[in-house]
Amino acid sequence: IDRIAASHGDGEHYAEDMTDPANWRAGDLVEVVSTENGDPLTVGDVATIAGDRVGMCIPVTMPHLPHCYFMMPKELRFHSRPSS
């Protein structure tokens, strides 16, 4: 059964449970829900997952950032998966 990414209501259907960060992949968009350690992102920002996890951290980037930043899954919420 396909699941709707109900946490954000984008109306898209995903085969995976998108509330589980293990199902996120590079290129997915995530919303920042909290920040720690002085990250330059703020709550409400929508960032792009930049690649594979490094340990528990997820690399994310935004157009205005000079490089990617590593954030914990608890700081992020799945937003959407752009069409390919």
Side-chain angles (χ1 to χ4, degrees):
I1 296 176
D2 284 354
R3 296 182 184 218
I4 288 184
S7 65
H8 57 280
D10 72 355
E12 294 294 323
H13 292 268
Y14 302 100
E16 303 97 350
D17 175 5
M18 300 315 287
T19 62
D20 182 353
N23 294 322
W24 302 349
R25 61 184 184 214
D28 285 350
L29 301 178
V30 289
E31 179 182 355
V32 178
V33 295
S34 69
T35 59
E36 298 178 1
N37 303 320
D39 291 321
L41 292 94
T42 58
V43 172
D45 282 347
V46 175
T48 303
I49 296 178
D52 294 332
R53 285 184 184 210
V54 176
M56 287 297 299
C57 295
I58 297 172
V60 298
T61 189
M62 293 181 68
H64 70 278
L65 298 176
H67 51 81
C68 68
Y69 288 84
F70 293 88
M71 300 186 75
M72 298 297 291
K74 68 181 181 180
E75 298 176 286
L76 304 167
R77 174 175 49 219
F78 181 80
H79 181 275
S80 59
R81 178 169 287 161
S83 306
S84 35

